[in-house]
Amino acid sequence: MTSQPFRRLEGGLIDRDRPLTFRFDGSTFTGYAGDTLASALLANGVTLVGRSFKYHRRRGIVAAGVEEPNALATLREGNRQEPNLRATQVELFDGLTASSQNRWPSLDFDVGGINNILSRFLPAGFYYKTFMWPAGAWMFYERFIRAAAGLGKAPLLGDPDYYERRHAHCDVLVVGAGPAGLSAALAAGRSGARVILVDDNAALGGSLRGDTATINEVPALAWVDEVGGTLEALENVRILTRATAVGYYDQNLITVCERVADHLARPDPHQPRQRLWWVRAKRVVLATGAIERPLVFANNDLPGVMLASAVRTYQLQYAVKCGRRAVVFTNNDSAYSCVSALMGGGVPVSAVVDTRASGPGDAARKIVDSSGVECLFGHAVVGALGRQRVTSVEVMALADGGSRVTGRSRVIDCDLLCVSGGWNPTVHLFSQSQGKLRYDEGLTSFVPDASSQAESSAGAARGELGLDACLRGGIEAGAEAARLAGFTPTEDVEAARCDHVDEAPVEALWAVPLPARRHGKRFVDLQNDVTAEDVALADREGYQSVEHLKRYTTLGMGTDQGRTSNVNGLAILAGLRDSDIPSVGTTTFRPPFNPVTLGTITAREVGADLAPLRLSPMHDWHAGVGANFVTVGLWLRTQFYARPGEAMMEAINREVLAVRNAVGMVDVSTLGKIEIQGRDAAEFLERVYINRWTNLQVGRCRYGFMLREDGFILDDGTTTRVADNNFYMTTTTAQAGPVMAHLEYYAQTVWPELHVHLTSVTDQWAGMAIAGPRSREVLAAACEGGDVGDESLPFMGYLESRIAGVPVRLFRMTFSGEMAYEVHTPSDYGIRVWEALMAAGKDFAITPYGTEAMSVLRIEKGHVVGAELDGRTIPADFGFERMQKKDRDFIGKRSLERPALAYGPRKRFVGLISEDGRKIPRGAQLVWNPTAPKPVPMLGHVSSTCYSPNLGNYIALALLEDADGYQGKLLYASSPLTDSHVPVRVGHSVFIDPEGERARG
Amino acid sequence: MLLIECPWCGPRDDQDFTYGGEAHIARPERPEKLSDEQWGDYLFMRSNPKGTHLERWVCNGCRRWFNVCRDTVTDEITAVYRMGEKPPGAIKKAGRKS
Amino acid sequence: MPEKYQWQSALATLGLEARALAPVAEPGVTLSERRVGTQLVIRGDAAEAEFAAGVSSVLGLDLPTEPKTAHRKGDRTLLWLGPDEWLAVVAGEGEDRLAVSLAEALVDLHHAIADVSHSRAVIGLEGPRAREVLMKGTNVDLHPRVFAEGSCVQAHLGRCHMLLHQLDAAPRYDIYVHRSFAVYAWSWLSDASREYGLSIASSGAVR
Amino acid sequence: MHATSGIPIVTMSKYSIFSLVRNALGYHENWPLAWRSPEPKAEYDVVIVGGGGHGLATAYYLAKEHGIRNVAVLEKGWLGGGNTGRNTTIIRSNYLWDESAALYEHSLKLYEGLSQELNFNIMFSQRGVLNLAHNLHDMRELSRRVNANRLNGIDSEILTPEQIKAIVPILNTSPTARYPVLGASLQRRGGTARHDAVAWGFARGADAHGVDIIQNCEVTGIRRNGARVEGVETSRGYIAAKKVGVVVAGHCSVLAGMAGFRLPIESHPLQALVSEPVKPIHHSVVMSNAVHVYVSQSDKGELVIGAGIDAYNSYAQRGSFAVVEGQIGALVELFPIFSRLRMMRQWGGIVDVCPDASPIIGKTPVENLFFNCGWGTGGFKATPGSGWVFAHTIATGEPHPLNAPFTLERFTTGFLIDEHGAAAVAH
């Protein structure tokens, strides 16, 4: 176990009393509480942390935050393994294990490195130009390309952790708790507005955590703690840390990913790992800061080349020295604070290379003057030298406004090169919100222009980089947001004070020219290995739109979403095309700002909670007797009741025969039920059903079809007139929801003048169908008082009675074709009534049956269900055209008169009997000759098929063209799928009791 | 995600509503009097405008249908009004061809 | 037949009474099955004076015409469901005759009355973290500034539909869910509550 | 290589491993433009509106198959910037109805030779497309469709959960899953292709045949002379045309409006997303219509994930996050190990949906004005076939038998090609 050679002895925001042990690529290291994985690795002198995506080049840590392109690691192991995490964002915890990615066998020796040697032959988009021969060989080449691509490895086990979703509402959402964000939250919070303040980091302060500035005459961090305390004390303010605002959607919906337990080895029991907040905010203040740009020069990807602001952060916040001897390369003043941080932290600075001939502003100049660091103004680093990491840099003078380098080149030794190419405001969320960006020549970067949602940007996020401007801008934005949300900001809130620093303007240098007759890789996108030369190639080949550039070179398509590369790439393209940056445009930033775990988007809607299971009131009874269940939509229904040792088919046949020969009972509670009340109820039914309703007498039921306006059948069902203005409609299980919505739509929007009220009572009533020749006897035995004979309860009649002391609704209707009744009772009595009927039926050998037997019974009887009513059929297809009212309109009537439906060649409903006793395959197509050359003409298809124990043969229902023509003829039910082509005899769709005498008894 | 203001229940995410398509398409009084073309037009033809769209939604809370005026490019909702009401003055029904 | 089958609530299968016996120290959330009595959906035109008067004469409660509000007195509650729709919940005295009395009071008015006593199961949710639990499953703003005692709303809870009624500032909520979804809703709520410490209260004597 | 067409190539430097090496030695400074960026001429024989895959394919086949070279493709933005560059690149042809199956199968066959045909690697990878069945109803519909496919001569089979597990080991096939996998249809010839490459390949091919590809040229009006079209107004001036073909997925209603008629189409958002790149873990394409999610893994290593469409009309190219949430819930249920992977980027496109979920390809009420639209979510897989039949329709003035059923009139007559049955128009 090594010590931490690059850790400073004092300073920083780490807790030296809490050393933590962690492993990286198998070696054990120590760090301190408050470290990130990146700062701990740097403290231990680990500079090589990854291999690049395409060329597998050696890469080190570049940044200190969300913009890090290189340092991607796989964290944890086993079922908690997680790839592609930025070491700069991973909080160190004791026992952390991490490993580098995209290398084999090891980080130091990586076979993939061959790509680097061949890199000359692998320019942008090379794969579009080759791997084409021989034809179809792509999949061969592709295997190797796939294996080489990708970054980390996905875990191979299910996720043991769980995730949460949290909806929230507020008046003002402040994103970012740096100087601007804290000020905004304070101003808004004091006004009494409901405020949510979110920040990516574990603690408040943002850039101030690595800053030596003073605010209100105290150290910046003291000010942060004071403001934090004030906000904590406000009941109307909620602070979320370790929470990244990732998505900005319509009407100010912002998603925020809170890493609840990622800083722990594992979550506590019942503690979610992450929580996704869906925040609806009246106003949003984006105080997301700015991200430093790297500079583009030869070998700028060598480990040891780092962003100046990152070096400073490591130095001050983490007390980590990023090297032993540094050179600073910049085109703006901000990097000079890195110089003072380095010198103060005992890292000598060999030289400051500033591309600006005029050098920096006074404040920066003071730093270098006092420290006596050599300054090379009007110069640039033309290349970083070294193999494992930077060992020296080559510097030359710039000429012709940076368009070429000139003079003798000079080599300066260093193992750390701090670069700063200016700053990009973090406009990602603003851009997601559909806000328009504006290119600011002074800042050489894109800044927010017109908002398109109730939002404003503050501080560095809007291009105001100075600390004093951030503090002022934050207060103003916060107060304004509160005011626009309907609150009155208090007077006493004023901007905190700090010194103003005068800076000389940044001077754009998008790519350091290569010395004459020299070639070298100047990386724009470090993660995807896109060089300035690749950008030039794309332009040369005509991929000149920014989107084409992105897609052809993969610039900015990595996990860092091009945070450090987009603007540089854009500017280089603009340069090549001699046009200005705005006219080349910018790429749109898409959610999420930072990658979000799929698990946290799903939250708790996984597994059993992905969708509810609806249970029948009699579910416990079915379960108690060991029923086999099946899901039908959201419902759990009994498929069949197998007796011990009984096979599925045996059970189904037994249940079917019981109904045909004695009596059976099935749970039909899942049917949709709707009460239709009001003086126009009957008229309403006339309009929604194809058949007549006004003449239905009280106490009678009627079967009917309901069409969609396009003429196709929506549903069929039975409706009962319970009272003059009160109808009780039943729908099929599957269509219960759609039918209710359909009726509500017409009642409210098309015929609002009708006095009709609809109430869904599906859950109010338990339903059971009791069917078979002995059903009436069972019912008579169970019912208390009132006879259930033909007089009081004729076919399609309705009666109210009591069973087992509770009220029941009796309907004499049949689905099986046998004499049958439906018994409906309030749900909580379902089991009571069910058991009473079972008891009453004991002497008649009553048999409970499931959906399979029910299906066989209805197929034998030629009743249609969803398989036939698939949204493509009309009543005439089933011979129900006579049911249609001629004399008046109903929904869908006009559509039935269109050519295709009125006299087009339509497939009609027929029955099929297996000619040779073989099973009629499910989903079979009806053909004349199955062995005809393909395409084989298809005459129709099998909609439902089963074995009929009553006929002792396989039968099926089908839709067949020229149905009358094929009556009695032989066709083939063809199923190439099962390689069976069964001869079937076409016949009538009703196989049993075509006259329907059994039902009437 | 849209934030839609139900005239009765107030603002809610779009997942608490069901979309009902273009508004103010009156069901013909006498469908039998229409030609196949006219009926097909009523059934299927839509203005589908890029810009102001008058559309129907139903609230899954109170289950009431109502009209919404939304810009189909910006998703901005400029008006919400009840069934049977006319769209607010300024708004013209977009895309309609006579 | 075992006695428990004689009258079976939607949640009976979960054996909640037994679970209620295990107490939890300082629960953040307490769940219970509630027995609220008769539930009727009442439809009518609130603008018709006779209608509003008829309803309140029977229930002894004013008709809530303000959307998403409920009026409550003792074990009688009248909840707003829509501009022409209410849910009357009455336990105990007069429960069984409620529908009839209403029908008589509203005769020859355009109205509708539907008995939905068995349509919905009611889950009681209370405790300091009760609001947090609900906000995991619904996007309705339940902040006291906008949703307080006497507020009610129909919204989704997880993947099912609920009618939420806030009884007091504790806060204490009644959650009405369709009967066939009751087991899903209960397990969703109890899972979501574990983070805060869950206790299950006895629902009291079976009615 | 275009010998088959009998038409010599105007200009096109051949891509190959050799040209790659040759150019590498010159530091890649001598690669020619993939396509020209000419100024629009005053008049063309045919103007194609829309520079997406379908439009570029139409222009390519017009030139190659029908010898019509005086053609312009007008694109208001950048080539392939619409749905071509936004879809999840799934290619299959196992449709239920004969009409659809024939059209998509023709397209699939063209895809199989497209890289060679265009001398541009579109990376067509026939890794197989699985459609999962989660209940008995799904299984019945699957059997019906697969049987129809087979009788139509389209490769299609149904796998048992065990066979599925062998192909997709990471799929959750537990019978206790909320959406258990009872089976799946598999089309082995189905797969994915690189969407941008399809657009670029057709653009380069069309350009080589003399077609003018004009980007940043928005059509603002369609000029008619009585019943006949005579040209288009554009942001770069008026362009006369003997014939105009409109292929503008996501904007066809707008263009129809310019021509004075309406379409039976609504434009909806369709959302998709990709995960961060990971090493190869998922080698086929898995679709589940029941839970509305489909997923494949790109050559870069990203999981490419698609959802169902948003319910409401929109041209915003973004949809409701709730749709993404539902889609990912289903995905994680099917692939539990994806739970710890992360969404890297999400986006939306605009899909033009017909009531019967089938496209409209053919004549319009305006003479010599042709429309190709309404592909809904299925457009990419049809790209070459769509361009091929549309080119025929424009060149001859009459639909090819393959697209004859896909007329606009069917919404009057009722002869719909209903690919989604019960999900059709609700009111």
Side-chain angles (χ1 to χ4, degrees), chain D residues 148-170:
Chain D
N149 294 153
R150 291 277 280 273
L151 291 165
N152 273 320
I154 293 168
D155 81 295
S156 193
E157 56 200 286
I158 286 190
L159 306 182
T160 64
E162 296 68 31
Q163 293 168 311
I164 297 167
K165 193 81 176 169
I167 296 178
V168 195
I170 59 174

Side-chain angles (χ1 to χ4, degrees), chain D residues 92-148:
Chain D
R92 60 184 180 91
S93 67
N94 54 350
Y95 279 68
L96 173 64
W97 299 115
D98 300 354
E99 299 87 343
S100 316
L103 183 58
Y104 286 102
E105 175 63 11
H106 180 64
S107 190
L108 176 51
K109 287 211 171 78
L110 289 171
Y111 262 121
E112 285 173 323
L114 204 54
S115 290
Q116 290 73 33
E117 160 95 30
L118 298 175
N119 176 236
F120 198 98
N121 187 359
I122 61 154
M123 305 180 195
F124 180 37
S125 180
Q126 295 180 285
R127 46 191 60 251
V129 176
L130 293 105
N131 287 76
L132 303 180
H134 300 288
N135 54 48
L136 299 174
H137 169 267
D138 291 354
M139 281 305 286
R140 188 182 62 236
E141 292 303 306
L142 227 55
S143 313
R144 178 184 171 189
R145 179 164 56 76
V146 169
N147 282 326

Side-chain angles (χ1 to χ4, degrees), chain A residues 388-678:
Chain A
Q388 309 283 341
R389 69 168 295 161
V390 179
T391 53
S392 61
V393 295
E394 183 179 10
V395 180
M396 289 177 77
L398 288 161
D400 306 342
S403 61
R404 59 186 187 88
V405 287
T406 175
R408 286 188 54 256
S409 82
R410 170 176 160 195
V411 173
I412 304 172
D413 290 347
C414 66
D415 63 352
L416 172 65
L417 176 59
C418 314
V419 299
S420 177
W423 292 80
N424 292 333
T426 311
V427 294
H428 300 68
L429 289 172
F430 173 80
S431 176
Q432 284 182 34
S433 79
Q434 309 303 312
K436 297 283 159 284
L437 295 171
R438 173 178 58 83
Y439 184 73
D440 183 314
E441 288 291 345
L443 285 173
T444 68
S445 57
F446 287 93
V447 298
D449 192 5
S451 295
S452 85
Q453 296 204 41
E455 154 283 334
S456 66
S457 296
R462 65 177 293 172
E464 294 169 351
L465 299 176
L467 179 56
D468 53 338
C470 290
L471 293 166
R472 199 182 331 102
I475 288 287
E476 287 162 4
E480 179 66 0
R483 185 162 30 246
L484 290 168
F487 294 81
T488 316
T490 52
E491 299 312 320
D492 61 335
V493 185
E494 58 190 24
R497 296 172 312 283
C498 72
D499 303 337
H500 173 75
V501 182
D502 273 318
E503 295 194 341
V506 58
E507 182 180 276
L509 179 64
W510 300 113
V512 178
L514 288 164
R517 290 179 308 284
R518 256 208 261 169
H519 293 282
K521 285 201 158 25
R522 299 176 295 169
F523 286 91
V524 181
D525 184 323
L526 287 167
Q527 186 175 110
N528 279 357
D529 282 339
V530 180
T531 65
E533 290 65 32
D534 290 322
V535 175
L537 176 63
D539 176 60
R540 189 175 302 124
E541 293 194 82
Y543 300 91
Q544 291 162 345
S545 136
V546 176
E547 283 295 334
H548 284 158
L549 173 71
K550 250 176 68 184
R551 289 154 180 267
Y552 190 65
T553 64
T554 73
L555 173 77
M557 303 287 274
T559 64
D560 60 344
Q561 296 265 327
R563 286 190 187 86
T564 54
S565 62
N566 269 341
V567 174
N568 284 344
L570 204 62
I572 291 168
L573 180 65
L576 290 163
R577 297 176 54 187
D578 302 320
S579 66
D580 58 356
I581 292 170
S583 63
V584 172
T586 179
T587 59
T588 47
F589 295 100
R590 299 205 168 95
F593 169 66
N594 204 32
V596 183
T597 321
L598 297 184
T600 188
I601 295 172
T602 312
R604 57 177 48 261
E605 271 71 41
V606 288
D609 283 347
L610 179 56
L613 263 187
R614 301 180 68 179
L615 301 180
S616 151
M618 283 84 87
H619 177 78
D620 279 5
W621 191 93
H622 306 320
V625 299
N628 298 66
F629 291 106
V630 61
T631 56
V632 181
L634 291 181
W635 287 98
L636 198 61
R637 298 191 70 176
T638 299
Q639 192 176 11
F640 56 92
Y641 301 85
R643 290 177 175 166
E646 198 175 40
M648 176 172 173
M649 278 313 297
E650 293 168 354
I652 295 165
N653 292 340
R654 172 179 50 76
E655 292 172 9
V656 170
L657 291 170
V659 172
R660 292 271 179 242
N661 304 327
V663 58
M665 184 158 69
V666 62
D667 183 346
V668 293
S669 303
T670 60
L671 293 179
K673 310 170 200 81
I674 302 169
E675 281 201 23
I676 300 159
Q677 302 179 51

Side-chain angles (χ1 to χ4, degrees), chain A residues 729-744:
Chain A
M729 174 187 287
T730 59
T731 76
T732 60
T733 300
Q735 293 297 81
V739 167
M740 182 66 186
H742 176 80
L743 299 181
E744 281 277 12

